[in-house]
Amino acid sequence: MAEITPKPETTTGAGHGPVIALAHRLDDALRRVTEAMSSIGTVWFFALVILICAEVIAREFFLAPIRGVTELAAYSIVGATFLQLSNSLYSERMTRADFLLSIFGKWFPAGLAVLEVIISLIGLWAMIILTQAAWPKLVETYVEAEIVGIPGEFSFQVWPLRLLVVLGSAMTALAFFARALRRIGAVNAQHGKAGLVAVAVTLVALVSLWYAVFPAVMDAGLSNFAIGAMMLAVLFVVVLMGVHIGITMMLIGFLGLWLLKGRIAFGYSMLGLAGNEFLANYYFSAVPLFVLMGLLVAAADIGRETFAVASWLTRPIRGGLGIATVGANALFAAITGSSVASATVFAKVATPEMIRHGYNRKFSVGVVAGSSVLGMLIPPSLLLIVYGFLAEQSVGFLFTAAIIPGVILAMAMSGLIWFSATFRPETVFDTHPDAGDVEEFEGIGKAAMYLAPILGLIALVLGGIYGGLFTPTEGGAVGAAGALLYALARGRLPLGTLWRVMVETGQIATTVLFLILAANIFTIMLASSGFVQNISGIINGLNLNLFQFAVCYVLLLVILGMFLESVSIMLIIVPIALPTALALGGDAIWFGILTVIAVEIGLLTPPFGLSCYVVAATLRDMGVQLVDIFRGVMPFVLVMFLVTLLLIVFPVLGSVTLQ
């Protein structure tokens, strides 16, 4: 989930015909409505911080917990997510694997233009289905006046939140429709009538194929396992075509349930249940809260101050600025929980400094991108939160277990930098390194002042979680509040910046939560097909031991990481692989740490390599080439493989908790 807001799409060729004019008017109207809805959802997410912090203070200091906070937060996640869903499409936040599209577009630009129309129509179809599935739940809760809470103490009616699910789904369907019109307009503007004919022919061919193939598959008498395997294969093909990943998982899960039960009503029932109730879980509040905390920390310039202290401390060491980047990233990771946030901050802060002090460009960007992966391993970590949900494991235990592997990985990266700078200086420096003008501190007082914010937030969040004062979800709210108060006190958060942080929080959180929702539908389909159980049986039949299985699993995750982003990989693969790992004697906590590290390798490997793309986008003005980043990061990929192998050989390193 990239944390750099791309420029929104613009209507191409407005005024070149009635279709384009219609697209332009619809687009303008929808943008205004979706931005208003998104603003409400943005404020709603931010209000959760205030509400949860108030609950922690009232409970811990006044022994008077606020009733209904858990229920309010849980249902708020549903409402705020669907309010912002359509805007996430407009903002190009809805995740998809588009690297094959870029290659395809270079060779067949007309084909790419047609494919983009089809992708939009697939999204339209999926969101219409979700709207239809959500409508009966809205009617049911309204007619029955369903309430949540304890009558007489705290309760509220559910139907307004069900209404937001229907409204958000319908608005997202309209947004996909507007996107399709824009793409058709682009085809017309670039390729004329021939392009429009190509769109029409492709649509007719796909509809004909649907009516020919789906009934045939329905009547073929396939086993449940065959249906599950077929749907998984279709998932990967459609994702690689560039269809949005959440849309793909939701739609294929729905179609798979239809095939498995032989009736469409079952698919609608499961989709409506997931859309309305699955996200209504207090657990998921952690997603927007930790994202907000990370963005506030980045906006408050805490990363720059941390790097200044780290570079001062490491100035006598060969390759000290590179080691300082790793150390600062490790500290920064302990409060942001995001690799993309780390890559964004230190690309701006550390890269220019290293280049100015004689480090070569390739090494400098490699250090930044390579050490950014610490953000998803050292707690608190968004990926560990997602894994905790999938594996039904304690997030607190996962956070604890990640500390030792995180420290080992940071030390291994630092060792690599020192070794390269000492014995292979030509790979590190362009000129003789000069650390003489690294920012000096008068004694340790100023250095301590620079480090105080991040150390204070670490102590506040992790200390509170491990000390039993609050849960990991509440820790996200408390940490966000602490970062907000610090930034305001230092005058580093003008209202415009605060609003941008809040909007970006909503966009990122909505993207992740919608992926989780869609993955739930797909997981239900796989479970109903018996696919997971059969795969476990097949693997057990191969007589693999835990070591062999873990090595194959890591290699699979790395390969998938070359094409998909981290959360999507975990949502697809973990439900399939975890039962087998447990059957072979693996520990669920250790398996989570192993999964996160392996998935994070994918952030550094081409062609997807999200962290590398983030660094390239951040340093665009410096003329940094993506190929230099991928080359510079390869030694760090090797280090990550070695640490992963260490965890496989010594599982205890990834399973030390506070149990």
Side-chain angles (χ1 to χ4, degrees):
M1 276 68 62
E3 295 175 7
I4 296 177
T5 306
K7 295 180 180 179
E9 295 182 62
T10 57
T11 304
T12 304
H16 288 282
V19 173
I20 307 303
L22 173 62
H24 185 62
R25 289 195 296 270
L26 178 62
D27 198 50
D28 287 343
L30 279 175
R31 281 181 190 276
R32 288 193 293 270
V33 175
T34 58
E35 286 173 2
M37 291 171 59
S38 181
S39 296
I40 297 172
T42 293
V43 173
W44 201 340
F45 274 147
F46 192 75
L48 285 179
V49 174
I50 300 173
L51 179 64
I52 294 175
C53 286
E55 152 66 10
V56 171
I57 293 171
R59 184 185 68 223
E60 296 297 330
F61 293 97
F62 300 101
L63 302 179
I66 301 173
R67 296 185 181 277
V69 169
T70 300
E71 292 84 357
L72 272 175
Y75 280 87
S76 292
I77 290 298
V78 180
T81 297
F82 276 91
L83 275 172
Q84 297 179 88
L85 188 57
S86 55
N87 191 252
S88 72
L89 176 63
Y90 269 114
S91 304
E92 289 293 301
R93 291 284 189 177
M94 198 173 280
T95 310
R96 62 178 187 155
D98 56 2
F99 71 94
L100 283 183
L101 289 183
S102 61
I103 297 173
F104 181 69
K106 291 178 181 179
W107 293 95
F108 306 103
L112 175 62
V114 172
L115 183 57
E116 286 288 3
V117 175
I118 303 303
I119 289 170
S120 299
L121 293 176
I122 290 173
L124 170 62
W125 182 30
M127 295 314 299
I128 288 175
I129 291 173
L130 181 57
T131 305
Q132 292 174 323
W135 177 257
K137 296 293 292 183
L138 168 61
V139 174
E140 178 186 340
T141 52
Y142 179 78
V143 171
E144 297 181 1
E146 181 181 335
I147 63 171
V148 170
I150 303 174
E153 295 187 8
F154 175 84
S155 63
F156 57 90
Q157 290 203 352
V158 176
W159 73 263
L161 296 167
R162 300 282 191 259
L163 177 61
L164 293 181
V165 174
V166 173
L167 178 62
S169 301
M171 288 301 300
T172 308
L174 286 174
F176 270 113
F177 179 64
R179 186 180 191 273
L181 289 181
R182 292 197 305 272
R183 298 298 186 176
I184 291 173
V187 170
N188 184 39
Q190 296 168 14
H191 306 287
K193 291 183 179 180
L196 295 180
V197 170
V199 171
V201 169
T202 304
L203 283 176
V204 170
L206 288 176
V207 172
S208 301
L209 187 64
W210 163 260
Y211 281 106
V213 172
F214 193 80
V217 173
M218 183 79 75
D219 298 334
L222 297 176
S223 67
N224 286 353
F225 174 77
I227 292 174
M230 180 177 64
M231 291 294 101
L232 187 62
V234 171
L235 173 76
F236 282 111
V237 171
V238 176
V239 164
L240 292 178
M241 284 174 55
V243 179
H244 301 86
I245 296 173
I247 294 294
T248 304
M249 287 194 291
M250 183 178 70
L251 186 58
I252 291 179
F254 169 80
L255 295 177
L257 289 170
W258 183 358
L259 286 172
L260 287 169
K261 300 301 179 181
R263 51 193 178 92
I264 195 172
F266 183 72
Y268 273 118
S269 175
M270 290 295 100
L271 187 57
L273 188 67
N276 282 282
E277 298 182 11
F278 178 69
L279 290 181
N281 189 325
Y282 184 66
Y283 180 92
F284 292 126
S285 303
V287 174
L289 298 178
F290 276 106
V291 170
L292 176 60
M293 180 176 65
L295 293 179
L296 285 170
V297 167
D301 249 2
I302 292 177
R304 181 187 61 79
E305 294 177 344
T306 304
F307 176 75
V309 176
S311 59
W312 175 64
L313 291 173
T314 58
R315 67 193 187 285
I317 305 174
R318 190 76 169 171
L321 282 180
I323 296 172
T325 303
V326 174
N329 242 322
L331 281 175
F332 197 67
I335 209 62
T336 61
S338 168
S339 294
V340 175
S342 297
T344 303
V345 169
F346 289 103
K348 295 176 183 176
V349 171
T351 305
E353 283 296 299
M354 283 191 282
I355 293 174
R356 187 166 66 87
H357 286 86
Y359 291 72
N360 68 52
R361 187 180 299 260
K362 183 178 73 173
F363 176 83
S364 301
V365 294
V367 170
V368 170
S371 59
S372 71
V373 300
L374 295 169
M376 279 299 187
L377 179 60
I378 295 177
S381 160
L382 187 59
L383 284 187
L384 288 176
I385 292 172
V386 172
Y387 177 84
F389 148 70
L390 292 172
E392 298 181 349
Q393 296 296 314
S394 163
V395 174
F397 288 161
L398 285 166
F399 282 0
T400 309
I403 293 175
I404 291 177
V407 171
I408 291 174
L409 184 57
M411 292 178 63
M413 288 181 173
S414 299
L416 168 68
I417 294 169
W418 175 84
F419 180 87
S420 299
T422 303
F423 299 104
R424 300 183 60 201
E426 71 280 359
T427 65
V428 176
F429 306 110
D430 278 338
T431 62
H432 183 72
D434 176 19
D437 59 346
V438 168
E439 183 173 353
E440 290 288 346
F441 297 98
E442 298 174 0
I444 62 172
K446 188 176 180 181
M449 183 181 71
Y450 269 29
L451 282 181
I454 195 164
L455 294 179
L457 283 173
I458 292 172
L460 176 66
V461 177
L462 298 185
I465 292 172
Y466 300 140
L469 293 177
F470 40 75
T471 66
T473 297
E474 293 170 339
V478 172
L484 175 63
L485 292 175
Y486 171 78
L488 291 174
R490 295 294 300 272
R492 295 176 175 175
L493 203 64
L495 288 179
T497 302
L498 175 59
W499 180 250
R500 285 194 295 273
V501 166
M502 291 168 60
V503 169
E504 193 169 5
T505 297
Q507 291 173 343
I508 295 170
T510 297
T511 299
V512 173
L513 291 168
F514 182 67
L515 276 173
I516 292 173
L517 167 64
N520 176 247
I521 300 297
F522 189 77
T523 302
I524 289 173
M525 185 274 295
L526 281 183
S528 300
S529 71
F531 180 81
V532 175
Q533 297 88 331
N534 278 274
I535 288 296
S536 297
I538 292 172
I539 293 175
N540 290 337
L542 296 175
N543 294 321
L544 296 177
N545 57 35
L546 183 60
F547 176 84
Q548 294 167 327
F549 171 76
V551 170
C552 294
Y553 176 68
V554 167
L555 292 176
L556 173 63
L557 290 183
V558 172
I559 292 171
L560 290 176
M562 296 179 182
F563 307 99
L564 304 176
E565 54 82 40
S566 305
V567 175
S568 301
I569 295 171
M570 290 181 63
L571 292 172
I572 295 170
I573 299 300
V574 168
I576 300 173
L578 179 59
T580 300
L582 297 179
L584 293 175
D587 176 77
I589 299 293
W590 161 79
F591 194 69
I593 306 302
L594 186 68
T595 298
V596 169
I597 296 179
V599 165
E600 286 291 276
I601 294 175
L603 286 178
L604 304 178
T605 49
F608 195 74
L610 180 58
S611 284
C612 297
Y613 281 97
V614 170
V615 172
T618 306
L619 299 178
R620 187 178 293 112
D621 294 342
M622 294 179 59
V624 173
Q625 300 295 315
L626 188 61
V627 65
D628 291 332
I629 302 175
F630 279 127
R631 288 174 178 170
V633 86
M634 282 302 110
F636 297 92
V637 171
L638 177 60
V639 166
M640 293 186 72
F641 270 117
L642 293 176
V643 171
T644 304
L645 183 61
L646 185 67
L647 281 178
I648 295 174
V649 175
F650 302 103
V652 68
L653 295 175
S655 57
V656 178
T657 70
L658 294 179
Q659 290 175 286

